[in-house]
Amino acid sequence: MAEATKVKKLFQKTLFGVFSLFGFIALSMSALCIYTVDTHLSEEYVSNSQDIAKTIADSSVDIMLNRNLAALQSLVDQFVEIQGIKYIYITNETGEFLVHTFVPGIPDEVLSADPMNTASVERTLPGMGDFVEVGAPILAGVAGTVHVGMDTSLIALKIQRAIGRQIYLISGVFLVGVFAAIWLVNLAAKPLNALLAYAVELARQGQAAAGEPAVLERNDEVGQLARLFLYMARQNSGDEPAKAPA
Amino acid sequence: MQRKSSGKSGPSSHALTRRAALSGGVAGAVLGPLAHGAGVAGAGVTDTEFVLGTSAAFSGPSMGLGIELYRGAMAYFEHINRQGGIGGRRVVLKTYDDGYQPDPSVRNTMNLVLEDGVFLLFGYVGTPTVTRVLPMLKLFQNRNVYMFFPFTGAQPQREPPYGEFAFNLRASYRQETAGLVNNFYAVGRWRIAVFYQADAYGRSGWAGVRAALAERGETIVGEATYQRGTKFTATMRRQVEILQAAQPDAVICIGSYAACAAFVRDAVDLGLRVPIANLSFVGSENLLKLLTEGMENSSQYTDWLVNSQVVPSYENVSIPAVREYRELMARYDPAPPELVTEPYTPFPQSFVSLEGFLNAKLMAEVLRRLDEPPTRAGLERAVFAVQGFNLGVSELISFGPARRQGMQRVYYTVVEGGRFVTLEDWGAKFAKT
């Protein structure tokens, strides 16, 4: 058994190399997946948010001009029911908050931001989470702006789900690979063990005692080594011609 | 949040109170779509009935509003029905529960108009629900579907593009908030903060306060919000802290009773000792009940309360309509609608049920003025025929194309002796020292 273990040690570095390569592939694939999902989802979110902000901005004009803020709030409340949208606020041309969906109040980070800036920004709001906020001008900004905050934790959740599915797949492939590697190592180690046993027997008791094991009949490298050991043993005992076995 | 909708709770139709049913009164329920009687052209009308439809909060933290409004209306309709109805037609109210949530109210309205074919919509509760239903009325304008006397003072049903499809009796939130701001201003309380429900109702009140302050060159000094459906057991400490930081002279709450009671409780507990005002929608009796029942030293929670009302005090028996209301409420003791499943103890009298009573009284007057055969198309003309009508309160009621709100007056009440009474002197009660 100890001998078999020794033989398997020959494969340890190979196995380690295979597993390392496998790990590298898995990690790089995951990283690529995260990057791809994150990029695509973020772009999609920002794009959707901008569309929503523009839709609200376009449909708010009449309501704002009629000073009907209850109707405007009702409109905003319907949009905030869309998955991923966590807050919406509308300011007038002076930056006054006319409508919003914040509870219990407008966060300081939002209050201190420039309401006329409609560029996409990332916000971390204490107690609420991380958001991508996009804006859209109402009547080119002369009537105010609409801002929509999308929850980035939803993106993170989708990434986690994508990575999770990938991990399941890679884990399955890895387990199959491990069993296959063990089987192949055992397959390769079996004739080597036979060769080792024959060489030990040859060294201990000489060619006569070692007999004619099956390993001598093999056509592969193990068989050639066995015949080489037999030749060397015979040379040492002086009863073999000087020609090496093929 | 999904609430009980028509599909779950099912509708119920009431022309009867529990007492009347027990005493062997006339039959009640109307089942299924109504067939038109001979000689009657309009949907929702037969030779024997007017069928009105309502969707209101009959479950959840605001169920008290829907139930009390319904009870007040049913007290008068029961009285009318027992006297033979209107032109021989009994008034039947088909009810659905929306739990004070917009989506169920939209579904319920679809059912009322398309399946039940009611004559008109009556006594809806809440701004977020009504504002979502209004576009449907425009959609159904070729069917002449009108909404009568919703329990909300918001602007959307008072202004274009939907104002032409609704008729209001009560004063608006704009009038209520302007009155509160003006009275606070008069007693030296200029720094006004607002606590409001984060929806169309809260925004409507917020806009009213903002507009009233703007006329005086002032702005809202602080604002905090809460989520619709918040219960009394929830904490409002964060909201109180936000408003405390603004150092207000007074706080105006635009919310329903459970959340507003929670806010008042936490405000007092955290030492915010300024007048706290509530609008009529709050449901004063339910608010008072939460702030006093089981609370130690409950007067500390009510000392600084002031509630605006859109109907006179039900304690003021010098007003004819109040006397009639008290008499009919006592006589018929209307039960909550059958679809109410949560425990609820009705109030003998309340501001909300008085409003429901006045709504029903004016509704009956409009129905009386319909031409024969009654049709939906004739409703607007019948409403505009109401000119200088004496409803029994302190103002005469008139309607017209440019006047779609019956009453204009706002009343103010404070808690004394465990009940809301009319506030006579703002300076004596709330002057800033």
Side-chain angles (χ1 to χ4, degrees):
Chain A
M1 192 64 206
E3 289 164 351
T5 307
K6 282 178 188 171
V7 171
K8 286 182 181 175
K9 281 182 180 173
L10 286 172
F11 297 100
Q12 282 180 352
K13 285 185 179 175
T14 308
L15 281 175
F16 180 74
V18 169
F19 291 152
S20 299
L21 185 62
F22 189 88
F24 174 73
I25 292 169
L27 284 174
S28 56
M29 280 180 66
S30 297
L32 182 65
C33 178
I34 290 172
Y35 174 77
T36 307
V37 172
D38 188 18
T39 305
H40 284 184
L41 276 179
S42 299
E43 285 174 355
E44 190 182 326
Y45 262 47
V46 170
S47 174
N48 287 346
S49 307
Q50 284 169 335
D51 290 344
I52 290 167
K54 190 172 182 314
T55 302
I56 296 172
D58 291 344
S59 52
S60 299
V61 177
D62 284 344
I63 303 173
M64 282 185 71
L65 294 178
N66 287 330
R67 299 183 303 128
N68 197 340
L69 297 183
L72 191 57
Q73 182 76 47
S74 182
L75 174 76
V76 162
D77 288 345
Q78 290 177 66
F79 277 99
V80 91
E81 290 170 2
I82 296 172
Q83 188 189 32
I85 297 182
K86 283 298 175 185
Y87 65 83
I88 298 173
Y89 64 92
I90 298 177
T91 61
N92 64 12
E93 69 281 6
T94 65
E96 184 187 9
F97 287 75
L98 294 183
V99 160
H100 70 81
T101 59
F102 294 110
V103 174
I106 305 170
D108 292 338
E109 290 77 2
V110 174
L111 282 172
S112 59
D114 176 12
M116 303 313 286
N117 177 21
T118 56
S120 173
V121 292
E122 292 185 2
R123 289 196 194 288
T124 298
L125 302 179
M128 292 182 69
D130 297 325
F131 303 91
V132 174
E133 183 183 304
V134 297
I138 302 171
L139 281 181
V142 295
T145 54
V146 175
H147 299 261
V148 175
M150 302 291 283
D151 187 358
T152 54
S153 67
L154 199 64
I155 300 176
L157 186 66
K158 291 201 173 184
I159 291 171
Q160 284 172 9
R161 283 180 184 159
I163 299 303
R165 282 194 290 268
Q166 197 171 7
I167 285 173
Y168 283 134
L169 178 65
I170 290 174
S171 300
V173 172
F174 179 76
L175 281 175
V176 170
V178 165
F179 286 118
I182 291 170
W183 181 74
L184 287 170
V185 164
N186 284 335
L187 202 66
K190 204 171 179 180
L192 281 177
N193 285 334
L195 173 64
L196 187 60
Y198 176 63
V200 169
E201 197 66 22
L202 206 58
R204 281 184 184 163
Q205 302 182 32
Q207 69 168 90
E212 292 286 334
V215 72
L216 288 170
E217 305 301 322
R218 297 181 67 95
N219 292 324
D220 54 12
E221 290 80 356
V222 172
Q224 287 179 338
L225 277 170
R227 288 191 290 277
L228 184 61
F229 290 151
L230 179 62
Y231 167 75
M232 288 167 67
R234 282 175 179 168
Q235 267 202 331
N236 287 342
S237 61
D239 58 353
E240 185 68 18
K243 189 182 174 187
Chain B
M1 185 170 65
Q2 288 299 312
R3 288 276 174 185
K4 214 184 296 180
S5 68
S6 57
K8 273 188 173 180
S9 60
S12 70
S13 303
H14 282 229
L16 290 173
T17 62
R18 179 173 50 196
R19 184 173 293 179
L22 288 172
S23 64
V26 288
V30 171
L31 302 172
L34 293 161
H36 298 168
V40 177
V45 185
T46 67
D47 286 343
T48 57
E49 288 176 335
F50 283 110
V51 182
L52 320 184
T54 188
S55 173
F58 294 119
S59 63
S62 301
M63 64 186 284
L65 303 176
I67 292 173
E68 292 301 333
L69 194 76
Y70 169 89
R71 291 181 67 244
M74 289 311 296
Y76 192 78
F77 286 148
E78 177 62 27
H79 176 63
I80 290 291
N81 289 342
R82 287 191 175 223
Q83 291 183 328
I86 300 167
R89 296 181 179 90
R90 299 166 61 253
V91 180
V92 175
L93 189 56
K94 202 169 189 70
T95 56
Y96 284 86
D97 174 31
D98 59 37
Y100 190 35
Q101 296 297 327
D103 287 344
S105 73
V106 169
R107 286 197 297 272
N108 293 346
T109 305
M110 291 281 284
N111 286 338
L112 286 167
V113 175
L114 298 180
E115 293 182 19
D116 302 328
V118 296
F119 189 51
L120 53 87
L121 305 177
F122 173 84
Y124 272 49
V125 170
T127 307
T129 46
V130 167
T131 49
R132 203 69 72 82
V133 168
L134 287 173
M136 296 177 69
L137 304 185
K138 193 172 180 70
L139 181 73
F140 293 139
Q141 62 183 319
N142 60 338
R143 297 170 186 250
N144 297 299
V145 177
Y146 291 98
M147 176 180 282
F148 280 83
F149 316 139
F151 184 60
T152 161
Q155 291 306 118
Q157 76 274 12
R158 290 173 163 79
E159 295 177 347
Y162 304 122
E164 62 185 296
F165 305 111
F167 296 98
N168 306 278
L169 178 57
R170 64 182 355 253
S172 69
Y173 292 146
R174 198 172 276 179
Q175 290 168 305
E176 284 190 66
T177 51
L180 286 168
V181 167
N182 292 340
N183 280 303
F184 279 134
Y185 213 86
V187 296
R189 296 188 178 274
W190 302 343
R191 294 178 60 80
I192 308 291
V194 182
F195 168 75
Y196 61 103
Q197 189 165 286
D199 64 6
Y201 164 46
R203 186 58 59 193
S204 187
W206 176 92
V209 175
R210 172 176 171 266
L213 286 170
E215 286 183 8
R216 298 178 177 278
E218 302 285 347
T219 58
I220 295 170
V221 297
E223 61 175 80
T225 59
Y226 74 91
Q227 208 74 48
R228 184 177 61 241
T230 299
K231 295 179 178 174
F232 180 62
T233 49
T235 178
M236 291 291 174
R237 287 181 166 257
R238 184 70 196 115
Q239 283 84 348
V240 172
E241 287 167 359
I242 290 171
L243 296 190
Q244 265 182 326
Q247 297 181 314
D249 293 329
V251 177
I252 296 177
C253 299
I254 302 115
S256 55
Y257 58 86
C260 288
F263 174 79
V264 171
R265 176 201 63 210
D266 289 349
V268 171
D269 289 347
L270 291 173
L272 182 61
R273 300 296 288 171
V274 296
I276 298 178
N278 293 279
L279 302 194
S280 57
F281 183 85
V282 77
S284 294
E285 291 74 19
N286 282 296
L287 178 89
L288 189 59
K289 188 176 178 183
L290 288 172
L291 286 174
T292 53
E293 274 192 3
M295 304 283 274
E296 287 183 16
N297 194 13
S298 61
S299 65
Q300 65 175 327
Y301 297 109
T302 58
D303 283 348
W304 289 79
L305 276 184
V306 53
N307 285 16
S308 60
Q309 313 289 354
V310 292
V311 293
S313 170
Y314 52 84
E315 302 284 356
N316 189 349
V317 292
S318 67
I319 298 172
V322 171
R323 284 200 302 276
E324 187 180 16
Y325 156 77
R326 293 177 70 100
E327 182 193 337
L328 296 184
M329 285 294 284
R331 186 188 303 171
Y332 298 116
D333 186 20
E338 289 170 1
L339 49 77
V340 173
T341 56
E342 298 171 40
Y344 181 81
T345 307
F347 293 97
Q349 294 101 28
S350 68
F351 287 99
V352 178
S353 63
L354 174 55
E355 184 172 341
F357 179 87
L358 294 175
N359 287 344
K361 190 172 181 184
L362 184 56
M363 188 75 255
E365 182 61 24
V366 170
L367 295 177
R368 270 188 209 103
R369 291 170 188 251
L370 282 165
D371 293 331
E372 284 294 334
T375 62
R376 286 172 175 168
L379 270 170
E380 192 174 62
R381 195 208 58 76
V383 177
F384 292 161
V386 176
Q387 296 294 326
F389 175 67
N390 187 357
L391 193 58
V393 290
S394 55
E395 54 187 321
L396 299 178
I397 310 298
S398 298
F399 282 94
R403 186 184 174 92
R404 306 182 84 90
Q405 176 184 307
M407 299 196 298
Q408 314 296 327
R409 190 166 169 192
V410 179
Y411 308 82
Y412 304 97
T413 55
V414 291
V415 178
E416 280 180 14
R419 61 198 177 102
F420 276 99
V421 297
T422 304
L423 173 60
E424 304 290 352
D425 187 347
W426 276 80
K429 180 76 177 174
F430 294 123
K432 189 178 179 186
T433 54

